[in-house]
Coordinates of all heavy atoms in Angstrom, one line a residue:
Chain A
A1690 N 24.9 50.8 -26.5 CA 25.3 52.2 -26.4 C 24.8 53.0 -27.6 O 24.5 54.2 -27.5 CB 26.8 52.4 -26.3
V1691 N 24.7 52.5 -28.8 CA 24.2 53.2 -30.0 C 22.7 53.0 -30.0 O 22.1 53.7 -31.0 CB 24.8 52.8 -31.3 CG1 26.4 53.2 -31.3 CG2 24.8 51.2 -31.5
A1692 N 22.1 52.2 -29.3 CA 20.6 52.0 -29.4 C 19.9 53.2 -29.1 O 18.8 53.4 -29.7 CB 20.2 50.8 -28.4
P1693 N 20.2 54.2 -28.2 CA 19.4 55.4 -28.0 C 19.1 56.1 -29.3 O 18.0 56.7 -29.5 CB 20.2 56.2 -27.1 CG 20.9 55.3 -26.2 CD 21.2 54.1 -27.2
Y1694 N 20.1 56.0 -30.3 CA 19.8 56.6 -31.7 C 18.6 55.9 -32.4 O 17.7 56.7 -32.9 CB 21.1 56.7 -32.4 CG 20.8 56.9 -33.9 CD1 20.2 58.2 -34.3 CD2 21.1 55.9 -34.9 CE1 20.0 58.4 -35.7 CE2 20.8 56.1 -36.3 CZ 20.2 57.3 -36.6 OH 20.0 57.5 -38.0
F1695 N 18.7 54.7 -32.3 CA 17.6 53.9 -33.0 C 16.2 53.8 -32.2 O 15.2 53.7 -33.0 CB 18.1 52.3 -33.3 CG 19.3 52.3 -34.1 CD1 20.6 52.1 -33.5 CD2 19.2 52.4 -35.4 CE1 21.7 52.1 -34.3 CE2 20.3 52.3 -36.3 CZ 21.6 52.1 -35.6
T1696 N 16.2 54.1 -31.0 CA 14.9 54.3 -30.4 C 14.3 55.6 -30.4 O 13.3 56.0 -30.0 CB 15.0 53.9 -28.9 OG1 15.9 54.8 -28.2 CG2 15.5 52.4 -28.7
G1697 N 15.2 56.6 -31.0 CA 14.8 58.0 -31.1 C 15.0 58.9 -29.8 O 14.5 60.0 -29.8
L1698 N 15.7 58.2 -29.0 CA 16.1 59.0 -27.7 C 17.2 60.0 -27.9 O 17.2 61.0 -27.3 CB 16.5 58.0 -26.5 CG 16.8 58.6 -25.2 CD1 15.7 59.3 -24.6 CD2 17.4 57.7 -24.3
A1699 N 18.1 59.7 -28.9 CA 19.2 60.5 -29.1 C 19.4 60.8 -30.6 O 18.7 60.0 -31.4 CB 20.5 60.0 -28.6
S1700 N 20.2 61.8 -31.0 CA 20.3 62.1 -32.4 C 21.4 61.2 -33.2 O 22.1 60.5 -32.5 CB 20.7 63.6 -32.6 OG 22.1 63.8 -32.0
L1701 N 21.6 61.5 -34.4 CA 22.6 60.8 -35.2 C 24.1 61.1 -34.6 O 24.8 60.3 -34.6 CB 22.5 61.1 -36.7 CG 23.5 60.5 -37.7 CD1 23.4 59.0 -37.5 CD2 23.3 61.0 -39.1
G1702 N 24.2 62.4 -34.3 CA 25.4 62.9 -33.7 C 25.9 62.0 -32.5 O 27.0 61.6 -32.4
Y1703 N 24.9 61.8 -31.6 CA 25.2 60.9 -30.5 C 25.5 59.5 -30.9 O 26.5 58.8 -30.4 CB 24.1 60.8 -29.4 CG 24.2 59.6 -28.6 CD1 25.1 59.7 -27.4 CD2 23.5 58.5 -28.8 CE1 25.1 58.7 -26.6 CE2 23.7 57.3 -28.0 CZ 24.5 57.4 -26.9 OH 24.9 56.4 -26.2
G1704 N 24.7 59.0 -31.9 CA 24.9 57.6 -32.5 C 26.5 57.5 -32.9 O 27.1 56.5 -32.6
I1705 N 26.9 58.5 -33.7 CA 28.3 58.4 -34.3 C 29.3 58.5 -33.2 O 30.3 57.7 -33.1 CB 28.4 59.5 -35.3 CG1 27.6 59.3 -36.5 CG2 30.0 59.6 -35.7 CD1 27.5 60.5 -37.5
F1706 N 29.1 59.5 -32.1 CA 30.0 59.7 -31.0 C 30.2 58.3 -30.2 O 31.2 57.9 -30.0 CB 29.6 60.8 -30.3 CG 30.5 61.2 -29.2 CD1 31.7 61.7 -29.4 CD2 30.2 60.9 -27.8 CE1 32.7 62.0 -28.4 CE2 31.1 61.2 -26.7 CZ 32.2 61.6 -27.1
S1707 N 29.0 57.9 -29.9 CA 29.0 56.5 -29.0 C 29.6 55.4 -29.8 O 30.2 54.5 -29.2 CB 27.7 56.3 -28.5 OG 26.7 56.0 -29.6
G1708 N 29.2 55.4 -31.1 CA 29.8 54.4 -31.9 C 31.4 54.4 -32.0 O 32.0 53.3 -31.8
I1709 N 31.9 55.5 -32.1 CA 33.5 55.7 -32.1 C 34.0 55.2 -30.6 O 35.0 54.5 -30.6 CB 33.8 57.2 -32.4 CG1 33.5 57.5 -33.8 CG2 35.4 57.3 -32.2 CD1 33.6 58.9 -34.3
L1710 N 33.3 55.7 -29.6 CA 33.9 55.4 -28.3 C 33.8 53.9 -28.2 O 34.6 53.3 -27.5 CB 32.9 56.1 -27.2 CG 33.1 57.6 -26.9 CD1 32.0 58.1 -25.9 CD2 34.4 57.9 -26.4
S1711 N 32.6 53.3 -28.5 CA 32.5 51.8 -28.5 C 33.5 51.1 -29.3 O 34.0 49.9 -28.8 CB 31.0 51.4 -28.8 OG 30.2 52.1 -28.1
I1712 N 33.9 51.5 -30.4 CA 34.9 50.9 -31.3 C 36.2 50.9 -30.5 O 36.9 49.8 -30.4 CB 35.0 51.5 -32.6 CG1 33.8 51.2 -33.6 CG2 36.3 51.0 -33.4 CD1 33.6 52.0 -34.8
V1713 N 36.5 52.0 -29.9 CA 37.8 52.1 -29.1 C 37.8 51.1 -28.1 O 38.8 50.3 -27.7 CB 38.0 53.6 -28.6 CG1 39.2 53.6 -27.7 CG2 38.2 54.5 -29.8
F1714 N 36.6 51.0 -27.4 CA 36.3 50.0 -26.3 C 36.6 48.6 -26.6 O 37.5 47.9 -26.2 CB 35.0 50.1 -25.7 CG 34.7 49.4 -24.4 CD1 34.6 50.2 -23.2 CD2 34.8 48.0 -24.3 CE1 34.4 49.6 -22.0 CE2 34.6 47.5 -23.0 CZ 34.4 48.4 -21.8
I1715 N 36.1 48.3 -27.9 CA 36.3 47.0 -28.5 C 37.8 46.7 -28.9 O 38.3 45.6 -28.6 CB 35.4 46.7 -29.7 CG1 34.0 46.7 -29.3 CG2 35.7 45.4 -30.4 CD1 32.8 46.8 -30.4
V1716 N 38.5 47.8 -29.3 CA 39.8 47.6 -29.6 C 40.7 47.3 -28.3 O 41.5 46.4 -28.3 CB 40.3 48.9 -30.2 CG1 41.9 49.0 -30.5 CG2 39.7 49.1 -31.7
F1717 N 40.3 48.1 -27.3 CA 40.9 47.8 -26.0 C 40.7 46.4 -25.5 O 41.6 45.6 -25.0 CB 40.5 48.8 -24.9 CG 41.3 50.1 -24.8 CD1 40.7 51.2 -25.3 CD2 42.5 50.1 -24.4 CE1 41.4 52.5 -25.1 CE2 43.2 51.3 -24.3 CZ 42.6 52.4 -24.7
S1718 N 39.4 45.9 -25.7 CA 39.1 44.5 -25.3 C 39.8 43.4 -26.1 O 40.2 42.5 -25.7 CB 37.6 44.3 -25.2 OG 37.1 44.3 -26.6
I1719 N 40.0 43.8 -27.4 CA 40.7 42.8 -28.3 C 42.2 42.7 -27.9 O 42.8 41.7 -27.8 CB 40.7 43.3 -29.7 CG1 39.2 42.9 -30.2 CG2 41.6 42.5 -30.6 CD1 38.8 43.5 -31.7

Side-chain angles (χ1 to χ4, degrees):
Chain A
V1691 295
Y1694 163 64
F1695 294 102
T1696 62
L1698 181 67
S1700 71
L1701 178 63
Y1703 163 81
I1705 294 168
F1706 182 73
S1707 64
I1709 293 167
L1710 285 174
S1711 301
I1712 288 168
V1713 176
F1714 195 110
I1715 293 169
V1716 168
F1717 273 109
S1718 69
I1719 290 172

